[in-house]
Amino acid sequence: MNFIPTPAVPLLLAMLLGASSTWAVGKPPSIEALKAEYKKTFDIIGGKAPADLLIKNVQILDVYTNSVEPGSLLIQGEKIIAVNPSQAISARKVFDGKGMIAIPGLIDAHFHVESQWVTPAAMQKLLVPHGTTSIYAEIPDLVSAAKSQGVEAAKAVFLDYEKFPYRMFVLAPGKKVDLPAVRTLLDWEPVIGLGELNHNLLLAGQDAEFEKLAIAASRGMIVDGHVEFTKSANQVNLFPALGTTNNHNVITYAETVTSLRMGLPTVVRDMLGSLEAIIPGVVSHKLPTDNLLLGTDNISVSTLVQNGHMDNIVQKVIGMGVSPIDAIKMASYNVARSFKMEDKLGSLTPGRYADILLIPRIDQIKPAYVFKGGELVAENGQLMPGKEIKVDYSAVIATARPGLDDLKKEDLVLRPLELSADGSKAKVMLWNQSFADKEVFTEQWLDVKDGKVVPEFNGMNLARISVVERYAKNGKRNILNAYITGYTITKGAVGMNFSSPSQHIGVIGATVDDIYSGIKALDKYTGAFLTAEGGKIKTVLDLSIFGMMTNLQAEDIVQAQTALANDGVAQGYTSKVGMPWYRRMSYMFFSLDRHRKIH
């Protein structure tokens, strides 16, 4: 570390004198508290009192002029109060930046907390050392999985969030959750607005969707959008017209341009190849990046451990030809501005939180030091000792409640919807591994040979999948038996037990026996990913927190994910996109609420 105590001043960092870390989301301090802070700042700038910290000898990135200039940053409490203060101003503590580049802390513009399957506490070590100092967090799957306990579950999972070495700004779930829960969560302190809506329900004109938007608008809150581009141009106009303030649902360059032309700051996600599909177009067409943001949406723990988080994404964007300053702004200032928080985040200017990264070069996004609110929280890829906040999540670890004791193997047999007159063709349900709503479930004619359906379509080998509703309703259980593209499982089974917005177990297997044994095994867990062969379980990743998250630490999750991936390959799974089966399957299930065949 490079902390240097000033003469005659004890080595003490008084970081608790300034603004609370919840100013941006909770109630503001009292008038008296603000007056005291202002007077303190006035005295410091006037040379009458020392500040908490001076970060000197750095090259400061100015996001307003797109320049990098030598200077220093003066910090009091959690905020920057001066850039390049005179020598007449003192500080209790001085940090020598040794000529490194000071850039704003990185921000993930769209991050589903539960989609990583780890707790917010476990994410401290995964995010902060990589320079992520803030995330805008979605939680629809967690809240919907907890059903009537959804609000309490959110509060329990986010326990002590304000103590973490990164900031969490939460969006109340717009989809998968009923209106009363949304209304309650919009009053909860970390919540800054309404998360993505179910665009199908909105475009169907459902009254509850309009009310969610109206509640958010009446409180001056943002609406994190999910614009649907497969609909008509007129319908696309509805999203910003009804209050959407940004959009993350783009996967092509053309969709990105359309989104921007609708006046929507647009998130380019490092997911499903979107980054690679969009950024080259941005560069070749010299598209302004002022309203482009960077985010992850869903990212695996393995990726976070092996490649990093926002530092890795910004580095990728630089490698694709975006200027380093523009790329950094896409993960800092642009994001803060789109969420109406540029007065608090995203720049190294007076009055903003002192969320600061020191990097070796402007084109090398490898944080040597990470400050959150003026406090050094990570150094050279590691959290500082004592900065990891421990949280007890035992209260939200659920006991499994099996529901498939009555399930029979014959329930999982795929029976053709129709046979051709000569028996040479069979119409079956086909699940396309696609994220365009209109293409997910189709009925297709497949060849029949020797009385059996040939699992091939358009030159693709097809796998068998069964998805079973775990708990019967009124004596009836929804079961989908189908073929699926994008998978080849030649022996055994792979599957998952998913809880949002309702409990379903999905298994892809080589035979009905394999699928049956996999489903029965998954029924023993609240939620899980599982591989099985010969009727025996090979690997399980237990998601004991509402079937959505695990209390394991990152290294244990990576070990389990590696085993799941290796098992899948040994059982015949291949991927042209380099995505392990469990991640690919989770993407399918996250969007099932939009499709009526299952949920």
Side-chain angles (χ1 to χ4, degrees):
M1 293 190 303
N2 297 323
F3 276 126
I4 305 170
T6 51
V9 177
L11 186 58
L12 175 66
L13 189 60
M15 290 300 173
L16 302 177
L17 298 176
S20 162
S21 63
T22 59
W23 279 25
V25 292
K27 294 180 179 179
S30 67
I31 292 175
E32 289 304 314
L34 285 170
K35 279 179 61 180
E37 182 192 350
Y38 297 159
K39 188 175 187 308
K40 182 75 171 179
T41 300
F42 183 82
D43 288 343
I44 293 170
I45 297 300
K48 298 178 181 179
D52 287 331
L53 174 67
L54 177 69
I55 299 178
K56 71 171 189 176
N57 190 20
V58 290
Q59 305 286 320
I60 302 171
L61 170 59
D62 179 0
V63 300
Y64 293 96
T65 63
N66 280 18
S67 62
V68 177
E69 302 292 339
S72 58
L73 297 165
L74 189 69
I75 298 162
Q76 174 63 21
E78 286 200 87
K79 293 183 177 180
I80 298 168
I81 62 170
V83 178
N84 298 330
S86 72
Q87 293 185 352
I89 298 177
S90 63
R92 293 185 178 90
K93 203 168 192 179
V94 175
F95 185 92
D96 185 357
K98 295 185 176 179
M100 284 188 283
I101 311 293
I103 67 172
L106 301 179
I107 307 171
D108 191 330
H110 190 79
F111 186 97
H112 282 263
V113 169
E114 65 273 77
S115 301
Q116 284 60 249
W117 314 325
V118 297
T119 62
M123 285 192 294
Q124 296 172 88
K125 294 188 292 186
L126 300 176
L127 305 185
V128 179
H130 293 289
T132 303
T133 54
S134 294
I135 62 171
Y136 288 95
E138 298 271 359
I139 54 171
D141 295 291
L142 168 66
V143 176
S144 65
K147 303 297 185 248
S148 61
Q149 298 175 291
V151 174
E152 291 74 17
K155 294 180 178 180
V157 167
F158 282 83
L159 187 66
D160 289 337
Y161 76 95
E162 72 280 0
K163 299 177 183 177
F164 293 158
Y166 67 97
R167 304 182 193 279
M168 303 186 74
F169 303 110
V170 183
L171 284 303
K175 66 180 183 182
K176 301 188 180 183
V177 177
D178 61 19
L179 182 58
V182 173
R183 185 183 290 111
T184 300
L185 285 168
L186 284 171
D187 287 329
W188 182 36
E189 185 175 277
V191 170
I192 63 163
L194 183 65
E196 57 187 72
L197 296 169
N198 182 321
H199 50 259
N200 286 334
L201 299 182
L202 180 63
L203 292 175
Q206 290 203 3
D207 188 70
E209 306 308 299
F210 296 139
E211 186 158 349
K212 292 173 187 176
L213 287 166
I215 295 169
S218 69
R219 302 179 188 187
M221 290 179 153
I222 63 98
V223 177
D224 192 20
H226 197 281
V227 175
E228 176 50 55
F229 289 99
T230 62
K231 310 302 180 183
S232 71
N234 284 338
Q235 286 179 315
V236 171
N237 279 285
L238 269 173
F239 293 93
L242 294 177
T244 298
T245 49
N246 62 31
N247 175 40
H248 62 271
N249 194 36
V250 294
I251 58 175
T252 67
Y253 176 75
E255 288 178 352
T256 303
V257 172
T258 299
S259 180
L260 291 170
R261 285 175 175 166
M262 292 290 174
L264 295 171
T266 301
V267 181
V268 182
R269 300 168 293 173
D270 188 25
M271 186 183 92
L272 304 176
S274 298
L275 201 71
E276 291 78 8
I278 295 169
I279 296 300
V282 171
V283 174
S284 63
H285 291 89
K286 298 181 180 179
L287 187 73
T289 60
D290 295 2
N291 291 299
L292 292 178
L293 327 174
L294 295 177
T296 54
D297 204 345
N298 301 305
I299 186 171
S300 74
V301 173
S302 297
T303 299
L304 289 168
V305 170
Q306 295 164 10
N307 301 328
H309 187 222
M310 297 309 297
D311 55 343
N312 179 53
I313 298 174
V314 174
Q315 194 71 62
K316 283 185 182 180
V317 171
I318 293 171
M320 293 178 188
V322 176
S323 76
I325 291 177
D326 283 339
I328 291 167
K329 288 172 66 174
M330 290 167 68
S332 56
Y333 178 69
N334 294 6
V335 182
R337 184 162 51 85
S338 79
F339 283 94
K340 319 302 182 190
M341 288 190 184
E342 68 270 28
D343 61 331
K344 300 176 177 67
L345 303 170
S347 66
L348 303 183
T349 49
R352 278 66 173 181
Y353 289 124
D355 297 350
I356 304 165
L357 310 186
L358 299 185
I359 59 177
R361 288 176 19 184
I362 194 66
D363 59 348
Q364 290 186 0
I365 314 302
K366 186 176 181 181
Y369 300 95
V370 180
F371 292 82
K372 182 247 186 178
E375 183 177 7
L376 183 63
V377 291
E379 178 180 356
N380 293 325
Q382 300 291 327
L383 277 180
M384 296 298 294
K387 298 306 176 188
E388 182 180 3
I389 303 301
K390 302 295 184 181
V391 181
D392 181 5
Y393 292 108
S394 59
V396 290
I397 294 178
T399 300
R401 185 168 65 90
L404 295 175
D405 290 342
D406 60 338
L407 184 71
K408 301 178 179 61
K409 287 183 184 178
E410 48 264 37
D411 296 332
L412 306 177
V413 174
L414 191 156
R415 294 178 173 82
L417 302 172
E418 186 180 345
L419 285 172
S420 63
D422 62 0
S424 66
K425 299 280 187 180
K427 182 189 287 186
V428 297
M429 185 65 66
L430 181 62
W431 187 341
N432 292 289
Q433 179 63 64
S434 168
F435 294 89
D437 287 1
K438 62 183 180 181
E439 299 177 357
V440 173
F441 294 106
T442 58
E443 296 178 0
Q444 299 291 347
W445 288 96
L446 302 184
D447 291 334
V448 175
K449 186 175 182 180
D450 298 329
K452 295 182 179 180
V453 176
V454 179
E456 293 180 359
F457 178 71
N458 286 346
M460 295 181 291
N461 293 323
L462 305 176
R464 268 281 284 113
I465 185 170
S466 290
V467 182
V468 178
E469 187 176 21
R470 191 173 189 181
Y471 306 115
K473 297 173 183 175
N474 301 319
K476 295 182 179 179
R477 174 176 285 113
N478 181 19
I479 299 176
L480 173 71
N481 295 314
Y483 285 105
I484 186 168
T485 64
Y487 291 85
T488 302
I489 299 296
T490 57
K491 56 183 178 179
V494 300
M496 66 183 292
N497 177 347
F498 197 73
S499 302
S500 172
S502 61
Q503 280 269 350
H504 281 75
I505 294 176
V507 172
I508 300 172
T511 67
V512 171
D513 285 349
D514 290 320
I515 293 173
Y516 179 76
S517 63
I519 289 173
K520 295 291 282 188
L522 282 163
D523 193 35
K524 298 176 183 178
Y525 297 89
T526 302
F529 290 90
L530 175 148
T531 54
E533 190 176 341
K536 296 182 180 179
I537 295 174
K538 297 175 70 177
T539 302
V540 177
L541 175 55
D542 186 359
L543 304 177
S544 57
I545 300 178
F546 297 106
M548 291 300 309
M549 306 167 79
T550 176
N551 202 24
L552 294 173
Q553 292 300 304
E555 52 270 25
D556 298 317
I557 297 172
V558 171
Q559 184 176 358
Q561 288 180 335
T562 300
L564 289 170
N566 291 340
D567 289 347
V569 171
Q571 292 171 220
Y573 173 75
T574 59
S575 173
K576 294 180 179 178
V577 295
M579 187 181 294
W581 72 264
Y582 62 84
R583 199 69 198 173
R584 195 170 189 178
M585 200 170 190
S586 70
Y587 283 138
M588 292 160 41
F589 274 74
F590 280 133
S591 62
L592 284 182
D593 64 303
R594 307 175 203 166
H595 314 296
R596 304 302 172 87
K597 292 293 182 183
I598 293 180
H599 287 294

